[in-house]
């Protein structure tokens, strides 16, 4: 039996598993997909927000500012791509000035460091590509960009090294409680635990209802994005926001830690897991973005994607024990700034579990450091040394991103090995360049099959069942004639 079962392998679930691994706690993370970070965590703006947007006194405000402080050191410890570039909230009118001044006051009250309002001349010196119609902006130097899925993957990996367990393809289908023990029915069989933490993203309301908790509902809300080639990556050097509205922080334009430019999102209520992109949605994103940065070359778009936010019927994050079931905890309604807040939420949840009776004693096997070899970032001398250590580093598999066979094999043998082509992509970036895997995809698939000792036809693109190879071409033609 486990001490704690966490449902959901997104940013919050993985952060909690990592924080619990600091202690002698027998913890398991249950994820319905074949990898962690497959939901909203892999499909968002990749921003570490400063914390000026949430209303003072809310959980959002507290966790946002605290999470911003935690993440910088966490990324250094776990070798997660991160760059503190700051953000600007643009104002185009006197009505916008009132909003920007409100955000400034909120930020000061929330404890955001370094905030100030910059006027037009300084603003355009900072970002020459901005529209001439941008008159002023709120400057927040503590904002940053990050690799969001790596934040989840890295924490899950070191937690597993420290003794925690991750169960993949383990969709939760029911929860029962007898005495002080929960029995969680999953597609991998039953799991028993003393405490359950529901961090299932857009499915948190459905999971909570399994224990009689109907205190909130999730309204899935889709945001669509453009990812532009690295040729556009230096168009701006900071995160560029417009003034927020009731439906979100608006369309942003930002560099990414991989050197691309990301543009989006819009906001549209959808059904659960509806992460399709639409021509109308992308058109609206484009029109909004050029208001801030008019010279974006959308012909250099290499990828469109959409993520689904878990917006709840409550105005704030839902973090804490369920009133309907003792020993059951919710981390729900985690919309933006959820990624930024996730490490702070996890630390607070550990203390809530402690107050509920979970014993916490230091884990001597806790793993606090992780290092990843990124061949692309090495100097010529370091590349040569790496190839001498392992000749597989001398074989380039992904030309666009300069990813070697050695890096892919390394990823396959980490504590939480990927099972799919996109799982490798999330760990060492083959397929993230201009050709989007057109050259390297089959080779990555072959390496995965070789390392796992399985046929290539069993290697999915991403989620279980997303087959790439269905059979030999001649066999398919013959089957079609019958």
């Amino acid at each position: 039996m486990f001490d704690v079962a966490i449902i959901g392998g997104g940013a919050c679930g993985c952060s909690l598993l990592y924080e619990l691994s600091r202690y002698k706690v027998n913890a398991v993370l249950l994820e319905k997909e074949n990898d962690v970070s497959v939901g909203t965590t892999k499909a968002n703006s990749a921003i570490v927000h400063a914390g000026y947007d949430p209303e003072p006194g809310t959980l959002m405000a507290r966790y946002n500012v605290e999470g911003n402080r935690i993440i910088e050191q966490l990324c250094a410890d776990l070798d997660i791509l991160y760059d503190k570039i700051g953000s600007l909230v643009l104002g185009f009118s006197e009505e916008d000035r009132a909003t920007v001044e409100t955000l400034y006051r909120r930020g000061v009250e929330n404890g955001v460091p370094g905030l100030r309002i910059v006027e037009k001349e300084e603003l355009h010196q900072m970002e020459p590509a901005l529209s001439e119609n941008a008159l002023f902006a709120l400057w927040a130097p503590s904002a940053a960009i990050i690799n969001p899925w790596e934040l989840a993957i890295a924490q899950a990996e070191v937690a597993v090294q420290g003794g925690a367990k991750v169960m993949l393809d383990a969709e939760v289908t029911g929860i029962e409680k007898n005495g002080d023990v929960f029995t969680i029915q999953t597609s991998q069989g039953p799991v028993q635990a003393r405490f359950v933490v529901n961090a299932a993203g857009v499915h948190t309301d459905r999971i909570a209802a399994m224990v009689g908790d109907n205190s909130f509902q999730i309204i899935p809300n889709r945001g669509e994005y453009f990812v532009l080639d690295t040729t556009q990556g230096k168009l701006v050097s900071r995160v560029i926001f417009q003034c927020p509205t009731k439906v979100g922080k608006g369309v942003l334009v930002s560099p990414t830690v991989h050197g691309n430019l990301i543009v989006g999102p819009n906001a549209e209520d959808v059904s659960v897991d509806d992460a399709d992109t639409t021509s109308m949605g992308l058109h609206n994103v484009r029109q909004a973005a050029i208001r801030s940065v008019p010279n974006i070359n959308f012909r250099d778009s290499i990828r469109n994607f959409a993520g689904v936010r878990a917006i709840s019927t409550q105005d704030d994050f839902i973090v804490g024990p369920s009133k309907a079931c003792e020993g059951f905890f919710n981390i729900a309604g985690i919309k933006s700034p959820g990624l930024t807040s996730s490490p702070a939420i996890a630390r607070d949840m550990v203390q809530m579990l402690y107050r509920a009776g979970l014993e916490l004693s230091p884990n001597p096997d806790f793993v606090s450091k992780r290092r990843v070899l990124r061949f692309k970032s090495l100097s010529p001398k370091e590349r040569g040394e790496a190839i001498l250590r392992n000749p597989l580093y001398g074989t380039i598999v992904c030309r666009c991103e300069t990813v070697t066979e050695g890096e892919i094999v390394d990823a396959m043998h980490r504590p939480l090995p990927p099972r799919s082509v996109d799982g490798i992509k999330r760990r060492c970036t083959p397929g993230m360049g201009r050709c989007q895997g057109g050259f390297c995809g089959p080779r990555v698939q072959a390496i995965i099959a070789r390392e796992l000792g399985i046929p290539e036809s069993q290697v999915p693109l991403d989620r279980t069942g997303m087959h790439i190879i269905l059979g030999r071409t001649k066999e398919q033609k013959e089957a079609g004639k019958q």
Side-chain angles (χ1 to χ4, degrees):
M1 184 176 73
F2 293 97
D3 296 319
V4 181
I6 304 163
I7 302 173
C12 287
C14 291
S15 289
L16 179 56
L17 192 71
Y18 172 72
E19 290 299 326
L20 287 172
S21 74
R22 295 178 183 273
Y23 308 98
K24 292 180 182 178
V25 173
N26 188 14
V28 62
L29 186 147
L30 307 174
E31 169 53 49
K32 72 182 182 72
E33 305 293 351
N34 63 355
D35 198 1
V36 298
S37 77
V38 175
T40 306
T41 298
K42 77 164 186 181
N44 59 71
S45 303
I47 306 300
V48 179
H49 292 282
Y52 49 75
D53 189 51
E55 289 281 356
T58 61
L59 292 179
M60 281 186 189
R62 177 161 67 89
Y63 289 142
N64 186 162
V65 176
E66 185 181 348
N68 179 286
R69 294 189 186 118
I70 294 170
I71 278 182
E72 184 171 7
Q73 186 60 51
L74 182 64
C75 290
D77 289 342
L78 301 185
D79 202 3
I80 299 164
L81 293 177
Y82 166 96
D83 192 3
K84 188 187 286 188
I85 61 173
S87 67
L88 291 162
V89 181
L90 304 185
F92 297 90
S93 65
E94 287 309 306
E95 182 180 353
D96 284 348
R97 186 176 290 276
T99 301
V100 165
E101 288 176 348
T102 296
L103 294 177
Y104 172 78
R105 289 191 296 270
R106 279 187 198 169
V108 170
E109 189 171 346
N110 290 342
V112 179
L115 286 177
R116 63 186 180 92
I117 296 175
V118 297
E119 299 299 333
K120 185 172 183 177
E121 182 177 355
E122 182 181 3
L123 175 61
H124 287 268
Q125 288 175 351
M126 295 171 73
E127 294 291 350
L130 293 180
S131 166
E132 278 298 314
N133 295 324
L135 304 177
F136 50 87
L138 178 65
W139 164 235
S142 63
I145 54 176
I146 193 173
N147 183 337
W149 53 86
E150 191 178 25
L151 179 66
I153 290 169
Q155 291 181 97
E157 284 183 349
V158 296
V160 169
Q161 277 185 279
K165 185 174 182 180
V166 173
M167 290 177 61
L168 300 172
D169 288 319
E171 183 174 5
V172 173
T173 57
I175 305 173
E176 297 177 355
K177 187 180 183 186
N178 294 302
D180 294 331
V181 178
F182 288 93
T183 299
I184 307 164
Q185 300 297 335
T186 82
S187 50
Q188 296 289 337
V191 172
Q192 291 189 320
R194 290 178 55 216
F195 299 98
V196 176
V197 181
N198 172 22
V202 293
H203 301 284
T204 45
D205 55 350
R206 180 175 61 84
I207 298 297
M210 292 179 182
V211 297
D213 185 347
N214 297 296
S215 60
F216 65 93
Q217 290 182 315
I218 296 297
I219 304 165
N221 185 273
R222 179 177 62 198
E224 300 171 63
Y225 294 85
F226 288 88
V227 177
L228 284 82
D229 189 39
T230 52
T231 56
Q232 296 291 297
K234 297 187 185 303
L235 189 60
V236 294
S237 57
R238 298 165 182 84
V239 184
I240 308 300
F241 290 107
Q242 296 174 8
C243 285
T245 66
K246 291 181 179 179
V247 296
K249 294 181 174 64
V251 170
L252 62 82
V253 179
S254 174
T256 75
V257 291
H258 298 105
N260 303 93
L261 191 76
I262 189 170
V263 179
N266 58 343
E268 180 183 5
D269 290 347
V270 292
S271 59
V272 172
D273 293 337
D274 181 0
D276 293 339
T277 55
T278 66
S279 58
M280 181 59 70
L282 293 171
H283 171 77
N284 291 340
V285 168
R286 179 173 177 166
Q287 292 303 112
I290 60 176
R291 184 172 181 240
S292 298
V293 185
N295 294 325
I296 301 171
N297 184 3
F298 282 94
R299 296 181 66 182
D300 278 340
S301 175
I302 61 172
R303 184 84 173 184
N304 300 121
F305 71 91
V308 182
R309 313 170 183 92
I311 297 178
S312 80
T313 48
Q314 299 186 21
D315 290 335
D316 202 357
F317 290 160
I318 302 166
V319 180
S322 169
K323 294 180 180 178
C325 183
E326 187 176 358
F328 186 92
F329 295 77
N330 288 306
I331 300 176
I334 309 299
K335 59 181 180 179
S336 180
L339 180 71
T340 309
S341 302
S342 57
I345 291 171
R347 291 189 180 185
D348 204 18
M349 181 56 66
V350 170
Q351 295 307 309
M352 293 180 191
L353 289 164
Y354 172 71
R355 291 192 294 271
L358 179 67
E359 294 182 11
L360 298 179
S361 58
N363 178 12
D365 298 321
F366 171 63
V367 179
S368 62
K369 302 288 183 181
R370 185 193 79 136
R371 288 292 172 264
V372 177
L373 187 146
R374 297 181 177 90
F375 191 82
K376 183 179 182 178
S377 65
L378 300 180
S379 68
K381 179 182 177 182
E382 290 169 331
R383 291 183 178 187
E385 293 170 347
I387 293 168
L388 286 175
R389 291 195 306 272
N390 181 354
L392 292 180
Y393 293 128
T395 302
I396 300 296
V397 174
C398 175
R399 295 175 180 177
C400 297
E401 294 294 303
T402 319
V403 180
T404 67
E405 184 174 358
E407 292 167 272
I408 296 169
V409 172
D410 286 348
M412 290 299 304
H413 294 280
R414 290 188 200 169
L416 190 64
R419 304 178 181 183
S420 68
V421 171
D422 280 2
I424 286 289
K425 180 179 177 180
R426 286 188 288 273
R427 285 160 176 81
C428 53
T429 75
M432 285 185 62
R434 191 175 185 93
C435 84
Q436 287 292 291
F439 173 80
C440 67
R443 180 64 179 137
V444 171
Q445 186 178 7
I447 293 170
I448 295 170
R450 183 192 72 202
E451 294 301 310
L452 293 179
I454 61 175
E456 288 186 40
S457 59
Q458 292 183 17
V459 179
L461 175 64
D462 195 2
R463 293 176 165 93
T464 299
M466 294 178 65
H467 300 294
I468 303 171
I469 297 175
L470 299 178
R472 294 183 180 276
T473 305
K474 186 175 181 179
E475 293 171 354
Q476 292 298 305
K477 286 183 178 180
E478 292 299 323
K481 292 177 181 179
Q482 297 175 0

